[in-house]
Amino acid sequence: MASENAPLLGHGVYSVVGDGDKTPRRSSRGALEDDNAKAPNAPNRKLNTFFGVMVPTILSMFSIVLFLRTGFVVGHAGLLQGLLMLGVAYFIISLTILSICAISTNGAIEGGGAYFMISRSLGPEFGGSIGLMFFLAKVCACGVYVLGLVEAVLAVFGKDPASGLVGGLRVLPQGYWFTVLYASAALLLCLLVCLVGAHIYSRAALLILLVVTGALISILISPLVVGPRTFLISHPSPVNHSQTLSYNVSYTGFKTTTLQNNLAAGYSIDYSTNKKMSFATVFAVMFTSCTGIMAGANMSGELKNPSVSIPKGTILAVLYTFVVYVILFLLVSSTCERALLIGDYGFFQRINIWPPFVLVGVYCASLSAAMCSLIGASRILHALALDQLFGLPLAPATITSSSGNPWVSVLYTWGLVQCTVFAAELNVIAGLVTVFYLLAYAAVDLACLALEWASAPNFRPTFQFFSWHSCLLGIVSCVVMMFVINPVYSSASIAMLLLLLLFLHYRSPTSSWGYISQALIFHQVRKYLLMLDVRKDHVKFWRPQVLLMVANPRSSSQLINFVNQLKKGGLYVLGHVQLGDLDLLPSDPVQQQYNFWLSLVDKLGVKAFVDLTLSHSVRQGTQHLLRITGLGGMKPNTLAMGFYDNSYPDDYFLQDPKFCPDPNGAPSNENDDFGVDLPSLQAHFGPVRDEVSPRSLSPEEYVGIVSDAIKMNKNVCLGRYFHQLHAADVRGLRGEGAGVTIDVWPLNLLRPGGSGSFADVCSLFLLQMACVLNMASGWRRARMRIFLCAEAQSEDQGWMEKEARFRELLRKLRIRANIKIVSWDVVVRLRGTGSPGSSPSQLGDLDGLTRAAQPISQEFLSEVNSVLKENSAEAAVRFLYLPRPPPASGQYQQYLAQLDTLSRDLGPTLMIHGVTPVTCTEL
């Protein structure tokens, strides 16, 4: 239990961060940590806003698109559509950035970047699936950057003259396998840097940024210095690759006619893929320049103050890159003919005052972006491995060096990137990268939207420039653009996401991160509970809402499972009373037991809530639960209990394999839910009652609970012998209860004179509950039999008319059942004819024991029990009429003894007393 002096709670279930608390704590990832190990200023957090966020974000967003695809975009799409693409792309990422800033300023961020934010906001299912998708996006992006680097190298040093450049040191052979070889070599260089650690990259990043900035400046000033010129472009023929097509292209310098010619779109065949370009394919390539907005967020584990650095650095970096791209679009559309833009990816070298400036810029930008993606992907994979969402396959990725570098996850990532370079064409995998990133951005927007809609008090981001409108618009924009770019990739990625969601959901990983689904459900349920007006209740829509009192689930698990089938979508609550006096205790012991009871509910697979209370007596505690359990229109209307007898129950935990430890002695960790494993669950619930165990409930108190419930207008169900009911026997060989019978005795069997009333409130309640069971899964094909007791030898043959009326009632109530007539003559004779002047019909109106004119003999009760066993011996379950308890507490023991004799050795039996109308014949 948390100390009242501890001011802050960490996100771990057991972690409490307090002043002076130096003891190890359990983190959200299951490992014991020292509180100082995760302090924001820990030694492994060295990067500030500029070096940790701005520099990697700028370099990732520039990468290969800036130098090698700017002309491609403007040449095919034209200036107007190019600016439109740029605007759409930055509009989408701006909405996502608002969500990133909101989430990152709402609490402490550990390693894992975007994955950490999504998982801690949406829970393990969404977090794990989106995290893996985002990891794959970074892997594919790294492959794109490496292939872009190889493309730039071959453009200068490749032997094939079709590359389009004249002169230079053309010593490198070209071809598919050579491209893969060069990409693998470049990737190996990135691997070596990343194995050393992220701090090496961050130190070199500033130098790389300076080089890239110098190359940008040379590109911007070159049109002011370099005059118009013409170039010869050569490419392999798209029809016959052995032939070469050559044509002249021009660099015109600043000209109005050039700008006018480049305004409109002119989509044509791309010389690298020999495919006709379109708005979607060009946008997919251009959007790869916008996929670096989370480069800074992915470095969250190395940032001194991630909550400040991520929003500030990301926004400044995005503004800077947007301005640069707009200027470049305007520059190239005003100075270069469309044929030059489309025919040569590396045309910036041709028109530069010193071509090596551009070469160095391309190499540095591509290499740094590849390393940044490799580092970011490895950090995401490391975070996934630490959270143990995917089990053993990712377990080695948790290994780190002495300095904290996750070198195994770096090797994992390197191996996957190596697989992507076999595509050997940048434009081929650009669409896949874009789709993956858009899906990840949509997930970030979804996380922020869910937090905003949940209205959780602890969602208080210091960044306030967002709203649910921006989050929703971001989600829609990302999803729409995914399908515009590539419907096949989009559908496949969403299908993969759903499969991962299902996998993680059924694997049921438990976490202490908080589940956004719970917050949203709470928010909506509260509103619907307010709308559920008890004044609008109608008998047509009545359903059982059961409070089942459980003393020890070891002996009553079968009854818990059976009552679960009786709820028919209604409220089902397991209640338990612990004896004690809160005045004499330091804290409420009940609060510490909820996790054990909830784990029991999960084990049994029932759809039930749990409500526990502390009281001086079981009777008083049951009254408390009947009054306060539930909320609004969802409150129990039926009390269920096990029967009070002197038999010693069996231990269900020793019979069900789910509650038995592994016979091989292997530890059972898969059932460790929220800190409650199987041994803890076994130890919490004590042994079943035996000869030496005292009973916490007296017979008088037990009958008093029944009387209290009826006074509170609650229906009562008493279950007996349900330890004999086995689910496998009920289902039968043909399933759904085929061949199984449900017997209903709708008459108070303690009434002697005549047939009495078969259609009073209690009798109809019995019929309703039997119908509910007959509609439950596993009982649908069971046959229902209704037994009517009649005096066949009596001169009064009114029972035949009552039987006919009862059949008509069943028809109106749409109850399909067989009616069985049971002779009642012997039973009536044993009971007696009553006091002088009383008729059998008058005796039939007496309510059980409470108003009977004569005492009930043991012979009578035994005879009734014999009639029940004779007619219902083969039934799976029996529904009996429970008479109202006597008003005098002195008769409680006698009442209980008579019920015991009446139901002895019957098998699974439910004795019911209904006080509320539950049936309706109207439509």
Side-chain angles (χ1 to χ4, degrees):
M1 183 175 178
S3 170
E4 293 181 359
N5 296 323
L8 294 176
L9 289 177
H11 58 267
V13 171
Y14 307 108
S15 60
V16 178
V17 183
D19 297 335
D21 182 10
K22 303 301 181 184
T23 58
R25 62 182 174 86
R26 188 169 297 277
S27 73
S28 64
R29 293 173 179 169
L32 287 175
E33 303 173 341
D34 186 80
D35 288 332
N36 294 329
K38 291 296 180 182
N41 295 321
N44 60 332
R45 293 180 176 266
K46 302 177 181 179
L47 302 181
N48 58 17
T49 301
F50 182 75
F51 289 100
V53 181
M54 285 191 64
V55 172
T57 302
I58 291 173
L59 290 177
S60 296
M61 296 187 71
F62 280 163
S63 64
I64 51 101
V65 174
L66 179 71
F67 296 104
L68 297 181
R69 290 299 183 270
T70 300
F72 169 84
V73 174
V74 177
H76 284 287
L79 176 62
L80 297 180
Q81 286 195 20
L83 291 176
L84 176 63
M85 291 180 183
L86 192 67
V88 170
Y90 272 81
F91 176 74
I92 292 175
I93 66 171
S94 297
L95 295 173
T96 304
I97 288 171
L98 297 180
S99 300
I100 293 174
C101 294
I103 297 175
S104 63
T105 59
N106 191 53
I109 300 177
E110 296 182 10
Y115 159 70
F116 184 87
M117 292 188 286
I118 296 172
S119 62
R120 270 49 177 184
S121 300
L122 298 183
E125 291 96 341
F126 273 100
S129 54
I130 292 295
L132 188 60
M133 297 293 289
F134 191 56
F135 166 74
L136 295 177
K138 299 293 288 185
V139 167
C140 294
C142 185
V144 167
Y145 300 143
V146 170
L147 291 174
L149 175 62
V150 172
E151 183 182 293
V153 171
L154 292 179
V156 177
F157 300 102
K159 282 186 177 180
D160 189 355
S163 60
L165 286 180
V166 179
L169 301 176
R170 298 187 172 277
V171 295
L172 298 178
Q174 296 196 58
Y176 171 79
W177 289 109
F178 284 108
T179 300
V180 173
L181 176 63
Y182 303 147
S184 301
L187 186 59
L188 184 61
L189 175 61
C190 296
L191 172 65
L192 295 176
V193 174
C194 293
L195 285 177
V196 175
H199 62 282
I200 298 297
Y201 166 74
S202 63
R203 291 174 182 174
L206 179 60
L207 178 60
I208 296 174
L209 180 62
L210 293 176
V211 172
V212 172
T213 303
L216 273 175
I217 293 174
S218 69
I219 290 174
L220 295 176
I221 65 174
S222 291
L224 303 176
V225 179
V226 178
R229 56 183 66 178
T230 303
F231 308 102
L232 179 66
I233 301 294
S234 299
H235 294 301
S237 172
V239 179
N240 186 355
H241 291 282
S242 61
Q243 297 180 356
T244 301
L245 301 179
S246 300
Y247 49 94
N248 292 321
V249 294
S250 299
Y251 163 72
T252 64
F254 287 105
K255 278 192 176 182
T256 306
T257 55
T258 303
L259 178 61
Q260 291 175 347
N261 293 334
N262 288 329
L263 286 178
Y267 297 106
S268 60
I269 296 178
D270 176 37
Y271 73 84
S272 65
T273 60
N274 292 323
K275 294 181 180 179
K276 181 69 177 294
M277 293 292 101
S278 64
F279 182 92
T281 55
V282 173
F283 180 81
V285 174
M286 196 278 300
F287 194 81
T288 56
S289 66
C290 303
T291 56
I293 61 171
M294 293 187 183
N298 291 332
M299 305 291 288
S300 59
E302 283 82 20
L303 295 175
K304 292 180 181 178
N305 193 346
S307 296
V308 174
S309 298
I310 291 175
K312 183 178 178 181
T314 304
I315 291 175
L316 291 176
V318 168
L319 289 176
Y320 173 70
T321 57
F322 178 73
V323 172
V324 170
Y325 275 116
V326 170
I327 293 175
L328 284 181
F329 276 30
L330 294 172
L331 178 68
V332 299
S333 62
S334 303
T335 58
C336 302
E337 287 185 349
R338 188 184 299 271
L340 173 61
L341 300 177
I342 294 176
D344 185 9
Y345 293 152
F347 74 98
F348 276 134
Q349 302 168 47
R350 298 177 180 273
I351 64 174
N352 200 270
I353 54 175
W354 192 52
F357 264 140
V358 178
L359 285 177
V360 174
V362 171
Y363 298 159
C364 289
S366 301
L367 197 60
S368 66
M371 285 190 292
C372 185
S373 294
L374 189 60
I375 292 173
S378 65
R379 277 15 179 210
I380 295 173
L381 185 64
H382 180 62
L384 282 167
L386 286 177
D387 289 336
Q388 302 177 358
L389 297 181
F390 294 95
L392 290 178
L394 295 186
T398 60
I399 301 173
T400 60
S401 64
S402 57
S403 61
N405 184 35
W407 62 273
V408 176
S409 65
V410 172
L411 291 176
Y412 268 53
T413 308
W414 168 78
L416 290 175
V417 176
Q418 182 64 55
C419 295
T420 65
V421 301
F422 283 100
E425 287 292 346
L426 186 153
N427 290 357
V428 171
I429 59 176
L432 183 61
V433 174
T434 302
V435 167
F436 276 167
Y437 269 107
L438 282 171
L439 189 60
Y441 293 166
V444 175
D445 290 322
L446 176 62
C448 190
L449 177 67
L451 289 170
E452 179 70 10
W453 274 356
S455 301
N458 280 319
F459 183 57
R460 299 188 298 271
T462 56
F463 183 86
Q464 294 291 323
F465 300 100
F466 79 101
S467 68
W468 69 267
H469 304 85
S470 64
C471 300
L472 185 60
L473 187 58
I475 296 171
V476 173
S477 301
C478 290
V479 173
V480 169
M481 289 312 304
M482 281 173 58
F483 283 91
V484 168
I485 291 170
N486 195 312
V488 176
Y489 286 168
S490 301
S491 301
S493 63
I494 293 176
M496 181 179 178
L497 175 64
L498 294 177
L499 290 175
L500 289 172
L501 279 171
L502 290 175
F503 169 77
L504 290 175
H505 176 73
Y506 285 108
R507 190 173 181 270
S508 299
T510 58
S511 73
S512 57
W513 311 336
Y515 294 77
I516 190 62
S517 58
Q518 297 300 300
L520 291 172
I521 291 171
F522 178 90
H523 189 65
Q524 294 302 314
V525 166
R526 180 190 62 84
K527 293 196 295 187
Y528 283 118
L529 278 175
L530 290 172
M531 297 169 61
L532 190 61
D533 194 342
V534 294
R535 297 169 296 182
K536 298 179 181 179
D537 284 346
H538 193 279
V539 65
K540 288 192 297 185
F541 307 110
W542 179 91
R543 67 182 72 235
Q545 303 199 89
V546 186
L547 170 64
L548 173 63
M549 297 304 300
V550 179
N552 189 342
R554 284 181 175 269
S555 59
S556 54
S557 294
Q558 294 95 334
L559 182 59
I560 294 174
N561 285 318
F562 178 76
V563 176
N564 183 62
Q565 298 175 307
L566 283 176
K567 65 182 186 301
K568 189 56 178 175
L571 180 68
Y572 182 25
V573 182
L574 301 183
H576 174 73
V577 179
Q578 179 168 336
L579 298 179
D581 188 350
L582 194 58
D583 290 338
L584 305 178
L585 298 172
S587 62
D588 186 3
V590 166
Q591 300 303 318
Q592 303 170 8
Q593 299 182 24
Y594 274 97
N595 262 9
F596 296 98
W597 283 86
L598 293 173
S599 296
L600 172 72
V601 168
D602 294 337
K603 280 281 189 183
L604 294 174
V606 297
K607 298 179 180 179
F609 298 94
V610 174
D611 210 350
L612 313 177
T613 189
L614 182 72
S615 181
H616 297 286
S617 67
V618 176
R619 181 177 182 181
Q620 186 182 57
T622 305
Q623 289 180 9
H624 294 166
L625 293 178
L626 283 172
R627 294 184 187 278
I628 66 175
T629 297
L631 197 63
M634 295 192 69
K635 294 183 73 68
N637 55 34
T638 302
L639 172 68
M641 295 188 297
F643 190 74
Y644 191 98
D645 55 27
N646 293 320
S647 63
Y648 299 110
D650 297 329
D651 192 338
Y652 180 79
F653 284 11
L654 300 179
Q655 303 172 9
D656 194 322
K658 292 183 295 186
F659 293 92
C660 298
D662 192 338
N664 299 324
S668 179
N669 294 327
E670 61 179 349
N671 296 324
D672 183 1
D673 295 334
F674 299 96
V676 180
D677 54 11
L678 185 57
S680 301
L681 189 66
Q682 291 272 17
H684 176 75
F685 297 109
V688 297
R689 181 173 55 84
D690 54 22
E691 295 88 345
V692 297
S693 302
R695 303 191 69 155
S696 58
L697 190 65
S698 65
E700 292 82 4
E701 192 175 9
Y702 178 84
V703 179
I705 293 174
V706 176
S707 179
D708 294 341
I710 295 175
K711 291 177 182 178
M712 298 169 70
N713 202 36
K714 307 292 183 183
N715 310 294
V716 177
C717 300
L718 305 181
R720 191 177 191 185
Y721 297 121
F722 275 94
H723 62 278
Q724 301 177 9
L725 182 66
H726 301 286
D729 297 337
V730 171
R731 294 192 186 98
L733 297 177
R734 289 173 288 175
E736 297 297 319
V740 172
T741 58
I742 302 171
D743 287 358
V744 184
W745 297 77
L747 177 66
N748 186 346
L749 297 175
L750 301 181
R751 294 180 176 180
S755 59
S757 172
F758 295 106
D760 62 4
V761 171
C762 187
S763 299
L764 292 177
F765 189 85
L766 257 71
L767 292 173
Q768 182 78 341
M769 296 300 285
C771 287
V772 168
L773 180 63
N774 206 181
M775 298 167 69
S777 176
W779 295 85
R780 290 191 178 95
R781 297 179 62 185
R783 294 181 296 109
M784 190 162 66
R785 301 187 301 180
I786 301 176
F787 291 86
L788 302 183
C789 302
E791 297 177 63
Q793 299 177 4
S794 172
E795 296 179 358
D796 182 11
Q797 298 297 316
W799 63 269
M800 300 180 63
E801 181 183 350
K802 291 183 179 179
E803 178 194 351
R805 292 204 305 267
F806 189 76
R807 289 184 184 274
E808 179 65 17
L809 176 63
L810 293 182
R811 186 187 65 80
K812 291 181 179 180
L813 294 176
R814 293 88 60 203
I815 296 177
R816 292 180 296 178
N818 297 327
I819 297 180
K820 302 291 184 181
I821 304 299
V822 177
S823 175
W824 199 241
D825 298 87
V826 177
V827 177
V828 171
R829 285 197 297 270
L830 288 174
R831 177 64 176 88
T833 58
S835 58
S838 63
S839 66
S841 61
Q842 289 173 326
L843 288 171
D845 292 334
L846 299 179
D847 190 4
L849 305 173
T850 62
R851 297 169 58 192
Q854 296 179 353
I856 297 178
S857 65
Q858 189 68 23
E859 291 79 8
F860 168 78
L861 294 172
S862 299
E863 183 63 29
V864 174
N865 178 257
S866 299
V867 172
L868 291 172
K869 287 192 287 188
E870 179 183 351
N871 291 275
S872 291
E874 302 300 326
V877 65
R878 300 145 195 84
F879 288 80
L880 302 186
Y881 190 114
L882 175 68
R884 183 186 292 269
S889 60
Q891 299 178 357
Y892 282 177
Q893 277 198 347
Q894 180 185 5
Y895 170 81
L896 189 58
Q898 291 166 348
L899 293 181
D900 176 52
T901 305
L902 184 70
S903 59
R904 184 173 298 162
D905 299 326
L906 287 183
T909 302
L910 197 66
M911 291 177 278
I912 300 176
H913 187 90
V915 296
T916 56
V918 293
T919 57
C920 181
T921 59
E922 298 178 357
L923 183 63

